[in-house]
Amino acid sequence: MVMTWIAGIAAGAFVILAAGILVALRSALSRLGQVQAEAEAMRQDLNKLSLELSGLIQPAEKTIREAHRQLQAASKLFEAAGQVGGAIAHTTSAAERITSVLSESAEQHAKRYRTKRQVSEALEWAELGMAAWQLWQTSRKPETRTEDEHNGPVFESET
């Protein structure tokens, strides 16, 4: 009887163990199905993302090429601007030299004008003095000829 009991308990334990294993396997299969479904969803999401990324890569590549082309054009523009700057510097230098020459020339002309004006004024004063002297001499000659009977010019020291 004990053996029957032991055999019954062993059979009951085996059934419980088998049921537990079946429940665990069913639970594991269920979880495996969920993991598989999630993996499939991830795969689909990855496919979508890869399609979107490939769609974005082409415009990005095109944009990068365009940016590179524009940078090359900008570098040519900066190079041209540098050349223009050099030309402006050269023109400025030439203009400064011309201005310097013109300034010196204007200064020389001003000095000449001052000198000419001074000479002109001196000549005018000399002419005025000569005219005054001649006027004085002509006004004295009739008086002195009648008194002195002198043929030469009359000087103040003689009177």
Side-chain angles (χ1 to χ4, degrees):
M1 185 145 153
V2 175
M3 284 294 253
T4 346
W5 279 98
I6 292 179
I9 293 175
F14 181 74
V15 169
I16 293 174
L17 180 67
I21 290 175
L22 286 176
V23 169
L25 281 175
R26 182 166 272 208
S27 172
L29 283 175
S30 165
R31 286 192 188 257
L32 184 63
Q34 288 175 349
V35 168
Q36 211 174 14
E38 287 177 11
E40 183 62 29
M42 284 180 158
R43 189 184 64 76
Q44 288 176 355
D45 287 343
L46 283 174
N47 281 339
K48 260 196 242 180
L49 283 174
S50 67
L51 288 174
E52 287 177 15
L53 285 176
S54 67
L56 290 175
I57 288 174
Q58 290 173 353
E61 185 178 337
K62 192 175 185 180
T63 302
I64 289 171
R65 284 186 186 145
E66 183 66 24
H68 179 68
R69 189 183 61 77
Q70 288 178 356
L71 283 174
Q72 286 177 337
S75 71
K76 290 177 184 177
L77 177 68
F78 289 134
E79 184 180 324
Q83 290 173 352
V84 168
I88 288 172
H90 182 67
T91 303
T92 302
S93 174
E96 286 175 354
R97 282 183 274 157
I98 290 170
T99 302
S100 174
V101 168
L102 287 175
S103 176
E104 289 174 12
S105 176
E107 188 176 326
Q108 289 174 355
H109 284 299
K111 285 180 182 177
R112 282 188 205 151
Y113 173 74
R114 248 185 267 128
T115 304
K116 284 181 181 179
R117 189 177 49 124
Q118 289 172 348
V119 168
S120 176
E121 286 178 3
L123 287 175
E124 286 175 9
W125 280 106
E127 187 179 341
L128 182 64
M130 185 67 142
W133 185 76
Q134 286 175 352
L135 181 64
W136 181 62
Q137 288 297 318
T138 55
S139 67
R140 279 190 89 206
K141 281 185 183 179
E143 294 173 13
T144 54
R145 284 196 181 178
T146 56
E147 293 176 6
D148 293 339
E149 299 276 330
H150 191 272
N151 285 337
V154 178
F155 298 105
E156 279 186 30
S157 61
E158 294 178 2
T159 56

